[in-house]
Amino acid sequence: MSLPHAILTALLEKPSSGLELTRRFDKSIGYFWSATHQQIYRELGKLEQAGHIRALPAPVPARGQKKEYEVLPAGRAELSTWVARSEDPKPMRAALLLRMRAAAVVGGPGLRVELRRHLALHREQLDEYLAIESRDFPADRRHTEPDRLRHLVLRGGIDMERFWVEWLTSALAELGTE
């Protein structure tokens, strides 16, 4: 149920077309809630049908023109209700951990190579998050609650990447070389 709420959040931040929304997703919300181009367009249709968003009128009608969407009061109310709702944490799903468990049963040729690859990817993501923090959230610009909330979301991503870097480094050290 969270994809429509992610879309409502993004549209409340800035009315956008489906394509712009997809691009913005890749640069922000997509770091912690991914969605394909097709999923976003399908959800836009559902949100419009439910009366939560509407396509803004085009200044000059043209065939094939992209639609830009904005959130209606019913969409804002839905998002507010969702924010206030209580929700239990979901169990983590990590294919790498499942593969390691399977390797304990059937053997794991190439597992260390995959662990090193994941380590490199998590280090890269951590560096990207730290660069975003440095650029967008210097300590002297976190005055408003929305800024602090956005920064806390980013800090969650930074902390998760630090966890994975530390855990993978430790796992590789414990497993030793092949």
Side-chain angles (χ1 to χ4, degrees):
M1 184 74 167
S2 294
L3 179 56
H5 299 105
I7 291 171
L8 287 171
T9 299
L11 289 175
L12 279 168
E13 290 174 342
K14 180 183 177 207
S16 304
S17 69
L19 181 59
E20 290 166 341
L21 195 58
T22 300
R23 288 180 181 147
R24 287 179 47 225
F25 242 74
D26 290 343
K27 295 178 184 172
S28 61
I29 292 173
Y31 285 123
F32 56 90
W33 195 270
S34 62
T36 66
H37 186 78
Q38 293 83 4
Q39 288 171 315
I40 289 172
Y41 273 96
R42 187 170 39 247
E43 204 57 54
L44 284 169
K46 290 177 186 177
L47 287 167
E48 190 172 26
Q49 197 169 27
H52 291 162
I53 64 172
R54 74 175 179 124
L56 293 169
V60 178
R63 192 172 175 90
Q65 185 172 353
K66 65 182 179 180
K67 290 183 187 178
E68 191 167 276
Y69 295 92
E70 71 174 354
V71 177
L72 296 171
R76 181 180 284 275
E78 168 57 30
L79 189 59
S80 293
T81 299
W82 180 75
V83 166
R85 193 176 301 146
S86 177
E87 186 174 305
D88 293 338
K90 301 287 184 242
M92 181 175 70
R93 294 176 67 173
L96 179 64
L97 298 180
L98 180 57
R99 288 173 48 216
M100 290 175 72
R101 183 73 183 251
V105 177
V106 298
L111 183 61
R112 286 167 182 79
V113 170
E114 185 66 356
L115 291 174
R116 283 190 286 275
R117 188 178 77 80
H118 275 254
L119 177 57
L121 291 170
H122 284 288
R123 282 181 174 150
E124 185 178 308
Q125 188 64 65
L126 176 59
D127 289 345
E128 186 174 341
Y129 285 165
L130 290 171
I132 291 169
E133 182 181 44
S134 173
R135 182 190 70 223
D136 295 346
F137 296 101
D140 64 340
R141 286 198 346 220
R142 296 183 219 146
H143 301 298
T144 67
E145 184 160 338
D147 287 340
R148 288 192 299 271
L149 288 169
R150 287 183 192 102
H151 181 246
L152 284 168
V153 171
L154 179 60
R155 290 296 313 174
I158 289 169
D159 290 347
M160 286 297 291
E161 293 306 323
R162 283 187 172 143
F163 161 79
W164 281 112
V165 166
E166 182 180 323
W167 184 85
L168 286 160
T169 301
S170 173
L172 283 163
E174 187 169 330
L175 291 173
T177 60
E178 289 186 308

